[in-house]
């Protein structure tokens, strides 16, 4: 037996190393635009931030659908083929978006091409996540998946924002979007040419499973296991404000507070760089004190407070970059409080973990639709302050919903508690 490598010791499956690097680069390319695309579209054909939010909402719809489809299609076609499809969709519709929509400032084509491009990254990234779950040793599965999310969030929007901060002054916004496309292509090549592990090349589902049956089974868990459906809602709330913020916070920080685009992009990278680090930390905390407690307290209640602070504190103190950095980091910290949702949702349906993961992916994609949709509906009548309050209220709702998400193990332990005053249940990690 070969001696363990560094990758073995830190929990990254050795045959998939180039895949993790490829996903990181792909998501860097995807995240380059996150800090400026809404105001850029508003200035190049959309007209207003609200109209730009419609484009991003359309994108969110396709992201949501593709996130759900990624698991079912990987079962039917194999993860590698799904990743190829995702890469092709992203490249083709991004080229069309840049040449036929943004260039001529054609708003209807922005809606079409940017929206359809949304099918790309979930098929690519979540297809690789399925490849990980089909390949990684069971004893290291949590760590392997955790590293996936480090790569995913490390690119979108963390390193992507830093890249934009360097390339925007050199090439302009449109040139930066072409640079992002090149990074996407390099990331795709690392994954599809560098990963030779054979499991992902083949269909994962048994031969008797048909396409319609596979798709329906990934939805039926919503009513056979209602708690999984509630967990999906919590997962949507987890990052819906994050996607919504990207519509109007660039204008707030860069223009209203006069930080400029460069310092705004740096702030964005700091927020999510903090989040990447704390994702690992809160994974450990969740294992120690319980997943539900961690999600409800640090995630739900914590994000409700820091969401309000992220907008209202800088608005109150004015153009103070240090204050903005501090409240941004606090939001990144509390956002990581939700990381245990990826462990909790499959535990709610131990007899159908695949279906639970499909619904979890649907929630992750749904956030990209719900956040911008809330902005589209309420930014005009309520303004940024009203939207921020709605997002904070949603985080409170997520904390309350999480209290309902007791695992079967926890429920059995509660039923077995004796009636005596000194009785105490065994600790349950949930």
């Amino acid at each position: 037996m070969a001696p363990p490598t560094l990758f073995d010791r830190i929990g990254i499956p050795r045959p998939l190393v180039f895949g993790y690097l490829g996903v990181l680069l792909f998501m860097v390319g995807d995240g380059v635009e996150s800090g400026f695309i809404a105001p850029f579209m508003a200035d190049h054909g959309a007209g207003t931030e609200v109209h730009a939010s419609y484009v991003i909402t359309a994108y969110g719809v396709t992201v949501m659908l593709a996130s759900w489809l990624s698991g079912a299609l990987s079962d039917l076609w194999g993860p590698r083929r799904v990743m190829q499809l995702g890469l092709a969709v992203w490249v083709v519709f991004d080229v069309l978006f840049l040449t036929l929509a943004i260039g001529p400032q054609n708003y209807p084509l922005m809606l079409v091409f940017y929206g359809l491009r949304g099918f790309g990254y979930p098929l690519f990234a979540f297809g690789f996540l399925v490849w990980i779950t089909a390949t990684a040793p069971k004893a290291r599965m949590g760590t392997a998946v955790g590293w996936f999310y480090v790569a995913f969030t490390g690119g979108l929007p963390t390193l992507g924002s830093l890249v934009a901060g360097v390339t925007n002054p050199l090439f302009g916004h449109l040139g930066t979007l072409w640079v992002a496309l090149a990074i996407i292509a390099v990331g795709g090549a690392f994954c599809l040419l560098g990963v030779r592990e054979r499991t992902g090349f083949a269909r994962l589902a048994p031969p008797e499973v048909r396409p319609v049956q596979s798709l329906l089974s990934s939805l039926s868990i919503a009513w056979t296991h209602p708690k999984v459906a509630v967990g999906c809602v919590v997962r949507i709330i987890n990052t819906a404000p994050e996607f919504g913020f990207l519509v109007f916070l660039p204008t707030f920080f860069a223009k209203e507070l006069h930080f400029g685009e460069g310092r705004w992009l740096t702030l964005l990278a700091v927020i999510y760089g903090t989040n990447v680090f704390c994702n690992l930390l809160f994974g450990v905390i969740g294992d120690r004190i319980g997943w539900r407690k961690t999600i409800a307290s640090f995630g739900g209640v914590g994000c409700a407070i820091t969401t309000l602070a992220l907008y209202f504190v800088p608005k109150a103190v004015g153009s103070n970059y240090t204050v903005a950095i501090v409240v941004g980091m606090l939001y990144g910290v509390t956002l990581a409080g939700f990381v245990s949702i990826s462990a909790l949702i499959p535990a709610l349906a131990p007899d159908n973990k695949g279906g639970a993961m499909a619904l979890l992916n649907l929630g992750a994609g749904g956030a990209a639709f719900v956040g911008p949709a809330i902005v589209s509906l309420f930014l005009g009548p309520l303004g940024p302050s009203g939207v921020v309050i709605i997002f904070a209220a949603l985080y409170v709702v997520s904390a309350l919903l999480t209290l309902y998400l007791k695992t079967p193990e926890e429920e059995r332990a509660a039923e077995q508690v004796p009636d005596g005053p000194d009785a105490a249940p065994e600790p349950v990690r949930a």
Side-chain angles (χ1 to χ4, degrees):
M1 178 182 295
T5 65
L6 172 64
F7 298 111
D8 295 322
R9 287 193 290 268
I10 65 175
I12 295 177
R14 195 181 338 180
L16 302 182
V17 168
F18 283 111
Y20 283 92
L21 177 59
V23 167
L24 173 63
L25 290 172
F26 191 102
M27 299 315 298
V28 167
D30 193 285
V32 161
E33 67 186 38
S34 58
F36 67 83
I37 193 63
F40 181 65
M41 287 193 293
D43 294 339
H44 291 79
T48 67
E49 280 188 343
V50 172
H51 287 162
S53 73
Y54 297 155
V55 180
I56 297 173
T57 301
Y59 173 84
V61 171
T62 56
V63 167
M64 178 174 61
L65 291 174
S67 298
W68 166 55
L69 288 170
S70 61
L73 292 180
S74 293
D75 275 349
L76 295 171
W77 298 345
R80 188 174 188 272
R81 186 176 173 188
V82 173
M83 294 175 69
Q84 289 174 325
L85 176 62
L87 177 63
V89 165
W90 211 103
V91 170
V92 168
F93 286 107
D94 192 52
V95 170
L96 293 173
F97 171 70
L98 295 177
T99 56
L100 301 181
I102 280 291
Q105 300 191 17
N106 188 315
Y107 181 63
L109 289 184
M110 283 186 200
L111 284 164
V112 173
F113 294 141
Y114 195 80
L116 290 174
R117 200 196 72 180
F119 280 105
Y121 95 71
L123 292 177
F124 185 89
F126 294 138
F128 184 65
L129 179 59
V130 174
W131 201 340
I132 293 170
T133 60
T135 304
K138 185 176 180 180
R140 305 301 300 276
M141 184 68 72
T143 305
V145 170
W147 278 111
F148 166 82
Y149 282 106
V150 168
F152 186 96
T153 312
L156 172 69
T158 311
L159 293 177
S161 299
L162 292 178
V163 170
V166 173
T167 57
N168 279 346
L170 296 175
F171 308 118
H173 293 99
L174 187 59
T176 291
L177 293 174
W178 284 106
V179 170
L181 179 60
I183 297 173
I184 290 277
V186 172
F190 267 105
C191 274
L192 299 177
L193 301 179
V195 180
R196 310 309 301 168
E197 198 283 326
R198 303 307 299 180
T199 304
F201 282 64
R203 171 190 176 106
L204 301 179
E208 65 272 13
V209 175
R210 302 300 177 206
V212 174
Q213 178 187 357
S214 177
L215 293 174
L216 290 178
S217 67
S218 66
L219 287 178
S220 63
I221 191 171
W223 56 85
T224 59
H225 295 76
K227 289 182 181 180
V228 174
V230 173
C232 177
V233 173
V234 173
R235 179 62 184 87
I236 291 173
I237 295 173
N238 173 192
T239 48
E242 171 187 339
F243 287 102
F245 282 149
L246 294 175
V247 177
F248 66 92
L249 284 190
T251 298
F252 172 68
F253 282 109
K255 296 182 179 179
E256 186 175 333
L257 295 185
H258 309 293
F259 290 159
E261 185 181 77
R263 289 203 293 173
W264 153 244
L265 292 173
T266 301
L267 171 61
L268 189 63
V270 168
I271 292 172
Y272 293 101
T274 304
N275 176 251
V276 169
F277 170 77
C278 290
N279 279 339
L280 297 175
L281 174 64
F282 276 102
V284 175
I285 292 174
D287 286 341
R288 293 285 184 93
I289 71 172
W291 299 328
R292 286 194 307 123
K293 186 183 297 184
T294 303
I295 296 166
S297 56
F298 293 103
V301 176
C303 280
I305 296 169
T306 57
T307 291
L308 296 172
L310 181 63
Y311 179 78
F312 287 107
V313 170
K315 188 175 181 66
V317 303
S319 185
N320 188 315
Y321 194 59
T322 301
V323 170
I325 288 285
V326 170
V327 294
M329 291 178 68
L330 290 175
Y331 177 66
V333 170
T334 55
L335 192 62
F338 282 96
V339 72
S340 295
I341 195 73
S342 296
L344 179 59
I345 287 184
L348 297 173
D351 57 326
N352 191 359
K353 290 186 177 181
M357 286 300 296
L359 218 59
L360 177 67
N361 286 347
L362 179 63
F369 160 68
V370 171
I374 289 173
V375 176
S376 299
L377 291 172
F378 296 107
L379 185 62
L382 300 181
S385 299
V387 173
V388 170
I389 290 171
I390 290 172
F391 286 153
L394 284 175
Y395 277 127
V396 173
V397 170
S398 76
L400 296 174
L401 291 177
T402 301
L403 299 178
Y404 168 71
L405 301 181
K406 295 182 179 180
T407 65
E409 179 187 12
E410 187 176 11
E411 289 181 337
R412 285 193 299 269
E415 291 171 358
Q416 294 169 3
V417 175
D419 295 331
D422 298 326
E426 291 295 318
V428 177
R429 185 182 63 178

